[in-house]
Amino acid sequence: MGVRPAPLGAIIKMWKLERNSVYVDQRITPTYYGRYYDDLGAITTNIRKAQLICLSIESQDPDHRIRLTVDYPESRNSFTPFLNMEVKINQDGSLDTRLFRKPQKKLLTLHASSHHPLSVKEHTAANMYDTADNVSSNTVNKQYSERMVDELLINNGYNNRVLQQIKDRRKRNRSYRKRRENRVLNTVTSLKIPFLSDKCTAKIKEAAKSLQIPIRVVTTPGKKLRDFLTSSRPRDKKKCSTNNCRTCLALGDKGQCTVQNVVYEVKCGYTECLQSGVGIYNGETYRPIGERFIEHYRSANNPTAKSYRDMPLAKHYNSHHPRPASIRDWN
Ligand SMILES: [Zn+2]
Ligand SMILES: [Zn+2]
């Protein structure tokens, strides 16, 4: 299942095998049959019948490569694994479910000391508790599943205090989510759609009304192809909003700092450099030139700073003018 088309391939392959076996074979029709990609689940009265289902499906494979293994509860009280949970059918027909992790799977997950942002680690842990909660059918099973997650996380460097914090936060979030959902249910939300025609808008309004969906339909002008491809005023000057913009001043025209995709030359203004022709830096940028120049100003004003000293202008100042200086001139 490692490559992208694999899950899709598995679905098609399995369906081809099923359509002539489990779906039509009268001898084996189970009370329930379902599949998630290549994991099958069925209800049968004994293990022999479960094996028959597998054999029937396998027999449809012309290459004889498909091999199914049966997980059948050992006793009336044992659970059977299916996907990420274990299932047990009770005497009264109700289901007991809880979290399942393959015993051969190593107790590894995102480690507490990994270099991921803290929020990622917290969310990963919180999601595990969410899953444990969602797949468990009652309080006892929930506790069992939660302990499994505890064990996994503790094995990966999380301590009890951190886990308690994560659990507390989940509880708070849950009540907050519930409150918010209730609030949303009680208010009318607006559905923003691009305007196509009055007829179209009317139809959507009608549909919402007949389905009793509490929304207010609002139309926006929407973007036309013309907006993407053309500019109605291409010769307009871009505006610079900075007072006394240094770059605009230097380039001799207000608004010039907004020009993008340019190749530029910066020259050191010291007479000795101008005469000897050193201290010239040629650069290019796809961003507005003003943005790039701000970086140059910073490195020139503080050339010895650790974060700037490898930048071109800082290098020049450090080697030719080793004292506080500022960029003087450029063309
Ligand atoms: Zn400017
Ligand atoms: Zn210089």
Side-chain angles (χ1 to χ4, degrees):
M1 293 288 232
V3 288
R4 276 207 173 173
L8 187 64
I11 292 173
I12 296 169
K13 177 87 181 172
M14 290 310 296
W15 175 78
K16 277 185 164 178
L17 305 182
E18 286 165 346
R19 66 176 173 172
N20 292 323
S21 57
V22 69
Y23 292 155
V24 290
D25 195 339
Q26 292 297 327
R27 297 166 303 148
I28 55 168
T29 322
T31 325
Y32 162 81
Y33 177 83
R35 175 170 51 73
Y36 184 78
Y37 293 101
D38 54 353
D39 283 307
L40 326 174
I43 296 178
T44 60
T45 43
N46 57 53
I47 189 168
R48 181 79 200 116
K49 282 192 181 160
Q51 283 162 341
L52 266 179
I53 292 175
C54 292
L55 281 176
S56 170
I57 293 172
E58 282 173 5
S59 70
Q60 293 299 314
D61 179 25
D63 309 321
H64 303 291
R65 288 222 188 116
I66 302 289
R67 287 276 171 273
L68 299 169
T69 47
V70 181
D71 276 316
Y72 200 85
E74 282 160 24
S75 75
R76 204 178 272 280
N77 288 321
S78 49
F79 282 79
T80 312
F82 184 61
L83 302 174
N84 64 345
M85 61 181 198
E86 289 187 302
V87 192
K88 184 176 80 173
I89 303 177
N90 296 319
Q91 290 276 11
D92 59 357
S94 63
L95 288 180
D96 250 347
T97 58
R98 63 189 189 188
L99 192 66
F100 172 70
R101 216 178 138 84
K102 279 183 187 157
Q104 64 266 35
K105 213 169 167 183
K106 285 196 182 122
L107 275 175
L108 293 179
T109 185
L110 188 60
H111 200 274
S113 64
S114 84
H115 284 279
H116 287 77
L118 198 63
S119 64
V120 171
K121 288 187 264 194
E122 276 178 8
H123 278 118
T124 309
N127 282 342
M128 285 183 195
Y129 285 115
D130 279 346
T131 310
D133 207 27
N134 291 338
V135 299
S136 307
S137 57
N138 57 36
T139 323
V140 178
N141 289 331
K142 272 185 208 293
Q143 281 165 357
Y144 170 91
S145 305
E146 196 179 303
R147 271 202 305 277
M148 255 177 94
V149 179
D150 286 345
E151 192 198 350
L152 175 67
L153 291 173
I154 284 170
N155 194 51
N156 285 275
Y158 299 81
N159 61 36
N160 280 319
R161 194 175 51 85
V162 173
L163 294 188
Q164 198 51 50
Q165 277 172 0
I166 293 170
K167 286 179 200 175
D168 290 345
R169 195 165 302 143
R170 268 188 72 235
K171 262 183 213 144
R172 278 204 302 276
N173 282 352
R174 207 163 34 200
S175 54
Y176 167 73
R177 265 206 304 264
K178 228 178 219 151
R179 277 207 308 277
R180 200 177 54 180
E181 273 163 22
N182 286 339
R183 220 175 27 236
V184 168
L185 279 178
N186 294 330
T187 52
V188 177
T189 21
S190 350
L191 172 71
K192 238 187 200 175
I193 52 166
F195 177 80
L196 296 175
S197 69
D198 285 325
K199 212 170 143 192
C200 176
T201 314
K203 262 194 175 174
I204 292 172
K205 278 185 181 169
E206 219 172 86
K209 203 174 166 192
S210 70
L211 292 168
Q212 294 180 338
I213 303 171
I215 47 161
R216 196 160 51 95
V217 178
V218 186
T219 56
T220 57
K223 284 235 182 228
K224 298 181 192 73
L225 201 51
R226 197 181 59 193
D227 300 326
F228 293 108
L229 298 177
T230 63
S231 162
S232 54
R233 310 175 76 174
R235 298 224 154 254
D236 273 10
K237 257 200 193 150
K238 292 268 175 56
K239 280 197 185 106
C240 164
S241 53
T242 316
N243 279 338
N244 296 324
C245 172
R246 217 171 152 182
T247 311
C248 285
L249 231 65
L251 295 172
D253 202 357
K254 189 84 181 152
Q256 280 291 318
C257 70
T258 58
V259 179
Q260 284 173 273
N261 298 311
V262 288
V263 176
Y264 59 90
E265 186 181 80
V266 184
K267 269 186 197 165
C268 174
Y270 280 89
T271 325
E272 66 265 31
C273 290
L274 286 172
Q275 279 168 358
S276 60
V278 295
I280 297 174
Y281 172 70
N282 290 303
E284 59 177 326
T285 181
Y286 65 92
R287 292 181 295 160
I289 192 161
E291 267 180 38
R292 179 72 185 109
F293 270 38
I294 285 172
E295 293 167 0
H296 284 318
Y297 301 143
R298 283 196 191 128
S299 69
N301 283 335
N302 201 359
T304 47
K306 204 176 164 196
S307 49
Y308 295 140
R309 66 177 170 228
D310 286 329
M311 293 187 169
L313 302 204
K315 269 185 184 170
H316 175 78
Y317 279 118
N318 287 332
S319 57
H320 291 77
H321 323 285
R323 62 198 150 89
S326 59
I327 202 165
R328 294 288 165 86
D329 197 13
W330 45 72
N331 296 304

